[in-house]
């Protein structure tokens, strides 16, 4: 009988250890995500599509993302550039209409 209890306790301990080590990264990931925010215009005004406030204005990544992030640093990243930093007229000699490997709606 004691052997069964010991085995059960080991299983419970293993489950708790597994939960601890898998739970922690999930909780940390939530902390690193951006909090809910408003998009902002170039002038820094809030865009609120629900109320219609500045809803016809384009959003500014500098004003929206730059509130919390180093704007000059993130503008150098691939996801921001999407190939603009590699675009050139002679990118592909066989397909001259392809100007870069980026996905920004160009040919």
């Amino acid at each position: 009988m004691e052997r069964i209890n010991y085995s059960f306790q080991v299983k419970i301990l293993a489950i708790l250890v597994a939960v601890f080590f898998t739970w922690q990264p999930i909780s940390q990931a939530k902390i690193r995500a951006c909090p809910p925010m408003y998009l902002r215009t170039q002038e820094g005004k809030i865009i609120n599509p629900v109320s219609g406030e500045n809803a016809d204005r384009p959003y500014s990544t500098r004003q929206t993302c730059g509130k919390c992030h180093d704007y000059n640093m993130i503008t150098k990243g691939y996801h921001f550039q999407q190939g603009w930093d590699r675009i050139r007229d002679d990118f592909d000699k066989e397909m001259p209409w392809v100007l870069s490997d980026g996905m920004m709606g160009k040919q």
Side-chain angles (χ1 to χ4, degrees):
M1 185 73 167
E2 284 186 31
R3 189 173 189 173
I4 293 173
N5 285 340
Y6 179 74
S7 176
F8 179 74
Q9 290 172 351
V10 169
K11 288 179 183 174
I12 293 295
L13 180 62
I15 291 171
L16 290 175
V17 168
V19 167
F20 174 76
F21 282 110
T22 57
W23 179 269
Q24 195 168 11
I26 293 170
S27 63
Q28 288 174 351
K30 289 180 182 176
I31 292 171
R32 284 186 265 157
C34 292
M37 72 190 108
Y38 284 106
L39 296 177
R40 295 185 179 271
T41 66
Q42 187 173 1
E43 297 80 26
K45 295 178 181 174
I46 291 174
I47 298 173
N48 187 340
V50 175
S51 67
E53 179 183 5
N54 297 311
D56 60 339
R57 306 289 313 274
Y59 90 100
S60 165
T61 52
R62 180 184 300 274
Q63 292 294 331
T64 302
C65 305
K67 295 280 183 196
C68 301
H69 301 281
D70 181 350
Y71 182 76
N72 291 327
M73 173 75 84
I74 62 174
T75 57
K76 296 174 184 166
Y78 178 78
H79 289 289
F80 194 94
Q81 291 293 328
Q82 288 292 306
W84 276 110
D85 56 339
R86 292 191 292 258
I87 197 165
R88 62 180 202 269
D89 289 337
D90 62 344
F91 181 79
D92 190 332
K93 301 266 187 226
E94 294 180 20
M95 295 184 289
W97 59 90
V98 176
L99 304 178
S100 84
D101 59 350
M103 299 175 289
M104 74 290 250
K106 53 69 188 133
Q107 282 291 317

